[in-house]
Amino acid sequence: MRTKVAIIGSGPAGLLLGRLLENAGIETVILERRSQEYVLGRIRAGVLEQGTVELLDRAGVGDKLHAEGLVHDGVEFCFDGNRHRFNFRELIGRTVTVYGQTEVTRDLMQARDSSGLTTIYEAENVSLHAFDGDAPKLRYVKDGVEHQLACDFIAGCDGYHGVSRASVPQDALRTFERVYPFGWLGILVDRPPVADELIYAHHERGFALCSMRSPSRSRYYIQVPSSDRVEEWSDQRFFDELRRRVNEETADKLLTGPSIEKSIAPLRSFVAEPLRFGRLFLAGDAAHIVPPTGAKGLNLAASDVAALAEALIEVYTERSSAGIDSYSARVLSRIWKAERFSWWMTSILHTFPDTDAFGRRIQRAEFEYLRSSTAASRSLAENYTGLPL
Ligand code: FAD
Ligand code: DHB
């Protein structure tokens, strides 16, 4: 089999890249290790930056998002019980949209299926070959039979644990990493959300986040030590802990119910440099990880592939390599700004095991400054709603 761009991974990065290239008449094949049902069963990110919404619109997959997505003008911070709302629309004229990653993935999969494009699910043992030359190839096993896929370019959109970054010679890659000593325990529940907008809460006992997926479905998170296991957290224990970390009014309003999903996500900051190796490009979580606090993971994946699609389209339509030559530097500049913001949000909102009394006062001062300064509030608004590429 042969295609122009072989994409590894059918997460949001791979699917959106496939869609953007399809719209420019460029053929792609996606190889995905898991089944379609498995990919759609993962509960992950929930907040789309305005630029991501615009990009999905341009890609022609924005209808359901506009019908069902919830446009939020701002978010709230709750610091030791004191709430403050940041109104992004008033501060900078921008908004975010709450629409789950699962839905974005489903919309992109449906669009790809109805265009009759090839996605090979349950492709095992994917391996990358000759991407430092002009004729890269992928090999994979499907239903016990080995196959080869020849292509012009390979897009490594296979997430943090994927094979693409692992196939790059060690000495060609530099990585930067910070692992946090806690994770987020998330719960999905079919009850109306506790507030109209998201509440990011800092408390001595740890961080908490009140989010949502729809007017009748809530998503809540609490910070837990990395060593905790999901089985240790009954729904009752989760909600008792969440109530302690938010202000009294929020705690009283919280509607609880049986969880329909519960999982712990580790927190990590990670960046690989560069993101191009001959005819292989890395994008999304294959290239970088952010802690979820700034809601940037999915949005970064989207902006990476927007730049990559532009660059590849330039190759095919203008026979110019300028875009692919500058891809890595261009996206890394934005990636590092999102890394900075996610690290900063994580630092001010979580309780770190080694934070002393001085550190806590600094966190409180940061919150007081944020809420009293229009400049600081605008900076938060600008970063949260998404910086330009
Ligand atoms: P992925 O969505 O990881 O997609 C990669 C795809 O590649 C997967 O489908 C995988 O099965 C496939 N793949 C992997 N290896 C291979 C292989 N060898 N061969 C073929 N296919 C392969 N972000 C937030 O902003 N908020 C959150 O609450 C949040 N929660 C998260 C929870 C978890 C458990 C994780 C892992 C991430 C979370 N994120 C969150 C981050 C966000 O979901 C990611 O940034 C986003 O999914 C990145 O999209 P992607 O397409 O780059 O990678
Ligand atoms: C959600 C996840 C985030 O990481 C975040 O910052 C906001 C919301 C969510 O899953 O709803």
Side-chain angles (χ1 to χ4, degrees):
M1 189 167 38
R2 195 190 150 77
T3 190
K4 286 197 164 113
V5 181
I7 300 173
I8 311 177
S10 78
L15 286 164
L16 181 56
L17 178 65
R19 178 66 178 180
L20 294 169
L21 294 177
E22 176 198 346
N23 291 346
I26 299 167
E27 195 202 17
T28 60
V29 168
I30 298 183
L31 300 184
E32 165 60 50
R33 186 174 56 159
R34 303 286 194 173
S35 68
Q36 188 164 19
E37 299 68 45
Y38 182 95
V39 173
L40 283 173
R42 294 189 293 223
I43 307 293
R44 291 184 171 179
V47 177
L48 304 183
E49 292 173 357
Q50 188 165 321
T52 305
V53 173
E54 288 160 5
L55 180 62
L56 292 167
D57 269 338
R58 283 205 302 282
V61 286
D63 289 352
K64 197 158 148 275
L65 156 62
H66 287 293
E68 295 176 14
L70 308 170
V71 177
H72 284 194
D73 286 356
V75 295
E76 281 192 40
F77 277 19
C78 176
F79 207 92
D80 291 338
N82 300 308
R83 274 167 77 166
H84 180 80
R85 176 166 186 250
F86 296 93
N87 186 329
F88 302 148
R89 193 188 285 276
E90 259 174 30
L91 285 160
I92 57 161
R94 293 179 78 77
T95 60
V96 291
T97 299
V98 172
Y99 190 65
Q101 175 168 334
T102 314
E103 302 313 310
V104 174
T105 307
R106 184 177 290 117
D107 297 347
L108 285 163
M109 280 179 173
Q110 276 173 2
R112 189 169 177 88
D113 288 349
S114 56
S115 303
L117 298 175
T118 309
T119 304
I120 296 162
Y121 291 99
E122 297 175 275
E124 295 168 60
N125 300 338
V126 173
S127 59
L128 294 79
H129 305 273
F131 53 81
D132 52 351
D134 290 342
K137 288 183 208 51
L138 296 177
R139 292 209 181 96
Y140 63 97
V141 174
K142 172 76 184 167
D143 298 329
V145 181
E146 189 170 271
H147 298 267
Q148 183 166 291
L149 174 62
C151 58
D152 298 336
F153 298 100
I154 301 173
C157 300
D158 48 351
Y160 181 66
H161 298 288
V163 66
S164 302
R165 196 182 66 252
S167 304
V168 172
Q170 284 289 307
D171 58 359
L173 195 71
R174 188 159 178 214
T175 59
F176 304 82
E177 187 168 33
R178 185 155 295 187
V179 177
Y180 302 86
F182 40 73
W184 278 18
L185 171 62
I187 204 167
L188 194 65
V189 54
D190 269 330
R191 292 285 182 278
V194 71
D196 292 340
E197 292 177 342
L198 270 58
I199 305 174
Y200 286 87
H202 169 90
H203 189 276
E204 206 170 357
R205 296 180 66 88
F207 169 78
L209 171 60
C210 304
S211 181
M212 64 194 73
R213 286 292 176 275
S214 72
S216 60
R217 183 169 283 187
S218 308
R219 179 78 169 154
Y220 297 107
Y221 297 95
I222 54 170
Q223 172 189 345
V224 294
S226 299
S227 51
D228 275 21
R229 320 223 127 265
V230 170
E231 303 75 47
E232 297 164 27
W233 285 90
S234 65
D235 292 355
Q236 179 73 43
R237 182 176 172 210
F238 179 95
F239 285 116
D240 287 347
E241 186 59 36
L242 177 62
R243 277 197 202 89
R244 289 196 187 104
R245 298 186 188 187
V246 293
N247 64 315
E248 225 178 282
E249 191 199 336
T250 307
D252 290 345
K253 273 208 243 157
L254 192 72
L255 295 174
T256 66
S259 61
I260 50 174
E261 198 268 352
K262 197 191 286 169
S263 54
I264 296 181
L267 264 70
R268 181 191 301 273
S269 298
F270 172 86
V271 183
E273 292 184 357
L275 300 179
R276 178 195 176 185
F277 309 89
R279 287 177 173 251
L280 165 66
F281 300 87
L282 301 180
D285 276 16
H288 45 72
I289 296 287
V290 285
T293 328
K296 291 283 162 249
L298 167 61
N299 292 294
L300 266 188
S303 60
D304 287 358
V305 298
L308 183 54
E310 242 178 62
L312 291 170
I313 292 166
E314 237 176 83
V315 171
Y316 287 105
T317 59
E318 296 169 31
R319 301 192 171 279
S320 159
S321 67
I324 55 172
D325 291 343
S326 59
Y327 167 73
S328 183
R330 183 179 178 206
V331 297
L332 277 166
S333 160
R334 187 176 192 276
I335 288 164
W336 273 111
K337 287 176 215 150
E339 288 284 344
R340 182 206 72 81
F341 178 66
S342 307
W343 161 84
W344 171 80
M345 283 269 285
T346 303
S347 315
I348 64 163
L349 288 168
H350 290 74
T351 297
F352 288 72
D354 56 356
T355 303
D356 57 6
F358 178 85
R360 286 202 29 85
R361 285 288 192 279
I362 293 290
Q363 284 178 315
R364 191 198 289 173
E366 187 93 47
F367 172 68
E368 294 297 337
Y369 173 57
L370 264 180
R371 74 166 176 188
S372 61
S373 157
T374 307
S377 299
R378 290 179 80 149
S379 168
L380 171 74
E382 206 171 63
N383 281 281
Y384 193 89
T385 59
L387 297 173
L389 183 64

